[in-house]
């Protein structure tokens, strides 16, 4: 499906095609929490980077987090005016792009099951609402965004 998104001040708008648009993957890591997840986690989707179209690209700034003393290859794109987190792009996986669900204006399908990842980095105050059908991981999950959609038969 075609996903359309924007930052809060509308300086940046974008569209991207996704076969994996279910917002099921909650990341509780400290980077997501501080930069994009005030409720304790952020949700990234998987999309096809070659289909990304951006208006207002000059308003975007990139943040690379330092993890264990090394700058991450993951580029967190955000609006330099309103600070909205837009997407993560990692040149090590150039065909993929990971828009934040929070930046999207297209109504997303509701995930029947969720994955909770990086729970080892969760803040004390964050309550994990994970019914029995959800998967929980201390660090990275055992399946990709694409594999989750395949397992549930939800590829678009
Ligand atoms: Zn903005
Ligand atoms: Zn994260």
């Amino acid at each position: 499906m075609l996903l359309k998104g924007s930052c809060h001040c509308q300086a940046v708008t974008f569209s991207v095609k996704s076969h994996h648009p279910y917002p099921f993957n909650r990341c509780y890591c400290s980077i997501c929490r501080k930069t994009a997840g005030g409720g304790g986690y952020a949700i990234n989707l998987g999309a096809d980077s070659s289909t990304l179209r951006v208006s207002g690209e000059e308003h975007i700034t990139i943040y690379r987090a330092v993890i264990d003393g090394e700058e991450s290859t993951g580029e967190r794109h955000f609006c330099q005016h309103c600070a909205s987190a837009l997407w993560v792009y990692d040149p090590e996986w150039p065909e993929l792009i990971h828009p934040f669900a929070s930046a999207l204006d297209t109504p997303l399908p509701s995930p029947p099951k969720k994955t909770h990842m990086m729970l080892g980095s969760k803040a004390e105050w964050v309550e994990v609402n994970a019914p029995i059908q959800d998967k929980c991981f201390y660090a990275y999950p055992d399946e990709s965004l694409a594999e989750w959609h395949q397992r549930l038969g939800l590829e678009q």
Side-chain angles (χ1 to χ4, degrees), residues 46 60 72 113 129 149:
I60 294 175
S72 164
K113 301 175 182 191
N129 179 13
H149 284 75

Side-chain angles (χ1 to χ4, degrees), residues 27-33 42 44 76 117-118:
C27 184
Y28 296 78
C29 85
S30 64
I31 310 165
C32 286
R33 181 169 65 253
N44 286 108
R76 288 169 180 264
M117 64 177 276
M118 302 301 278

Side-chain angles (χ1 to χ4, degrees), residues 7-12 79-84:
C7 66
H8 191 257
C9 78
Q10 300 294 304
V12 182
C79 172
Q80 63 192 228
H81 304 293
C82 70
S84 296

Side-chain angles (χ1 to χ4, degrees), residues 2-4 14 19 30 36 51 60-61 63 65 72 74 83-84 90 93 95 98 101 103 127 139 141 147-148 151:
L2 184 69
L3 302 175
K4 292 186 174 181
F14 65 95
H19 300 291
S30 64
T51 65
I60 294 175
T61 299
Y63 174 62
S72 164
S84 296
D90 193 324
W93 293 276
E95 68 284 356
H98 298 295
E127 214 174 295
E147 286 164 347
W148 181 94
R151 175 166 63 87

